[in-house]
C-alpha cells in the first residue's frame, strides 16, 4: 500500500544484500541475538559479513537447560560474558577437569580463570541436574561472578577418547573452508561412526561431517582431505590416533540448500543447534539431503 516505501525497498534490494539491514532501517542501532557463543557464533558471523554488515551485535541473557541465569552488562564488548544473578536459579559448580570424587561449589566459592560444569536446580521436578555447560569465570562484578560459556559437554567428538570440543572443531572446519576458493560455510553437523552401525563399513572408528556451503557445488577429494589435515594439525592426540590407524579418515559430505532448515524443524525445539548427532532418525534425515 505504501508505493514510495516499496520503491525504496526495490531499489535497495537491486543494489545487493550486503549491509541491507542498515540501508533499509538507517536508525537501527544494534542486533539483539539469543545466543552468540560457541558454534552459534557461526550464524552471527554470517550476518555480520552480509545482511547486517556494519551493525553491532548484543546477546543480553545467558540461558541453560531452559533457565534464565545471567545478564550481559557489557554490550560494547564483542565476546559476550554474563553476570550470574544469584536469585534467578540455584546454581552449583563442578570444577573442571573432573576430580575422582567431585564436590560441587557455590557462587561464592568460584575462582577467577577456572572452568566449572554447571549444575542446576531451576524448575519443579529438576533437582541438581547437570546442564551440560562448561563456564569459565572471567572476573567478578562486586561479589557476583562473571562467566563466559566455554563448551557444551554433550557436543564433544570422541571415538577413541580424544575429546574434541565443538568450538575448537568449528575453528578447524572454518580454517579448512577458507582453503576452498569461493566457499562460505552455512552450517554443519558431525556424527561419530558408531551411530551408523553396519553402514559405516569395516573401517576404523571415524567422524562423518555434513556441511552446507555457498559458492561450491562439489568438493574434490583433495578439498575433503583438508579438514582431516586441519584436525591433525590442531589436535596432536587425533593426529597420533590417525597415524596408528586407530581412527579412520574423516568423511565429508556436502548437503543441499535447506538441509539444516529441515533438521531444525525435525528437532522441534528452539534450542541451539546440536553439533554432534546422537539420534538415528536425525542421521537418516541429514543423509537424505547429501548431494556430494
Amino acid at each position: 500500500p505504501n508505493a514510495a516505501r516499496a520503491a525504496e525497498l526495490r531499489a535497495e534490494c537491486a543494489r545487493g544484500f550486503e549491509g541491507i539491514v542498515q540501508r533499509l532501517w538507517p536508525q537501527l542501532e544494534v542486533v539483539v541475538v539469543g545466543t552468540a557463543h560457541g558454534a552459534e557464533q557461526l550464524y552471527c558471523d554470517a550476518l555480520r559479513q552480509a545482511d547486517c554488515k556494519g551493525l553491532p551485535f548484543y546477546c543480553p541473557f545467558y540461558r541453560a537447560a531452559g533457565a534464565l541465569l545471567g545478564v550481559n552488562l557489557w554490550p560494547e564488548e564483542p565476546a559476550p560474558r554474563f553476570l550470574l544473578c544469584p536469585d534467578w536459579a540455584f546454581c552449583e559448580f563442578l570444577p573442571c577437569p573432573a576430580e575422582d570424587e567431585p564436590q560441587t561449589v557455590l557462587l561464592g566459592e568460584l575462582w577467577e580463570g577456572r572452568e566449572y560444569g554447571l549444575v542446576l536446580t531451576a524448575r519443579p521436578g529438576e533437582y541438581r541436574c547437570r546442564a551440560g555447560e562448561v563456564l569459565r569465570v572471567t572476573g567478578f562484578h562486586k561479589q557476583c561472578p562473571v562467566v563466559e560459556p566455554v563448551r557444551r559437554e554433550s557436543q564433544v567428538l570422541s571415538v577413541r577418547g580424544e575429546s574434541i570440543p565443538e568450538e575448537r572443531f568449528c575453528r578447524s572446519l572454518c580454517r579448512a573452508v577458507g582453503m576452498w576458493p569461493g566457499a562460505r560455510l552455512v552450517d554443519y553437523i558431525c556424527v561419530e561412526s558408531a551411530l551408523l552401525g553396519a553402514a559405516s563399513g569395516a573401517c576404523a572408528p571415524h567422524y562423518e561431517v555434513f556441511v552446507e556451503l555457498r559458492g561450491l557445488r562439489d568438493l574434490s577429494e583433495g578439498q575433503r582431505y583438508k579438514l582431516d589435515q586441519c584436525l591433525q594439525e590442531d589436535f596432536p592426540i587425533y593426529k597420533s590416533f590417525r597415524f596408528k590407524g586407530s581412527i579412520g579418515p574423516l568423511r565429508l559430505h556436502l548437503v543441499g540448500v535447506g538441509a539444516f532448515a529441515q533438521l531444525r524443524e525435525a528437532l522441534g525445539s528452539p534450542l541451539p543447534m546440536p553439533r554432534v548427532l546422537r539420534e538415528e532418525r536425525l542421521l537418516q534425515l541429514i543423509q537424505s539431503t547429501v548431494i556430494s
Side-chain angles (χ1 to χ4, degrees), residues 93-266:
F93 305 88
L94 284 168
C96 295
E99 302 168 351
D100 292 336
E101 296 183 8
Q103 297 289 325
T104 59
V105 296
L106 301 178
L107 276 176
E109 302 171 303
L110 300 183
W111 289 80
E112 184 174 349
R114 295 188 182 177
E115 294 183 357
Y116 298 88
L118 180 62
V119 179
L120 275 179
T121 301
R123 296 187 293 188
E126 296 183 1
Y127 173 67
R128 303 191 79 194
C129 296
R130 294 195 63 162
E133 299 261 345
V134 175
L135 308 176
R136 180 184 295 115
V137 180
T138 63
F140 292 85
H141 180 75
K142 298 185 178 177
Q143 294 184 345
C144 286
V146 177
V147 301
E148 61 178 3
V150 176
R151 60 185 173 274
R152 296 180 290 174
E153 293 176 314
S154 63
Q155 303 303 306
V156 172
L157 275 171
S158 184
V159 294
R160 290 288 191 191
E162 67 281 7
S163 299
I164 298 181
E166 64 170 313
E167 78 282 357
R168 293 187 62 193
F169 179 91
C170 185
R171 286 201 294 268
S172 297
L173 175 59
C174 290
R175 189 159 71 88
V177 172
M179 301 178 192
W180 305 336
R184 182 174 69 81
L185 180 64
V186 176
D187 221 329
Y188 79 95
I189 204 156
C190 307
V191 176
E192 295 168 355
S193 59
L195 188 64
L196 281 75
S200 67
C203 60
H206 60 277
Y207 311 147
E208 304 228 355
V209 183
F210 300 84
V211 298
E212 182 177 336
L213 300 174
R214 291 286 184 274
L216 275 186
R217 302 183 66 180
D218 196 7
L219 290 170
S220 67
E221 287 304 313
Q223 287 173 317
R224 293 173 198 267
Y225 178 69
K226 285 293 184 185
L227 176 55
D228 194 87
Q229 186 178 26
C230 287
L231 287 176
Q232 292 186 51
E233 292 170 357
D234 296 341
F235 300 96
I237 294 178
Y238 177 79
K239 182 177 181 178
S240 172
F241 280 129
R242 285 284 290 112
F243 179 76
K244 291 183 289 189
S246 301
I247 294 180
L250 177 147
R251 298 179 183 176
L252 185 63
H253 309 280
L254 186 60
V255 301
V257 175
F260 284 89
Q262 295 179 46
L263 184 59
R264 277 196 182 276
E265 186 176 345

Side-chain angles (χ1 to χ4, degrees), residues 56 84 271:
L84 291 180
L271 295 174

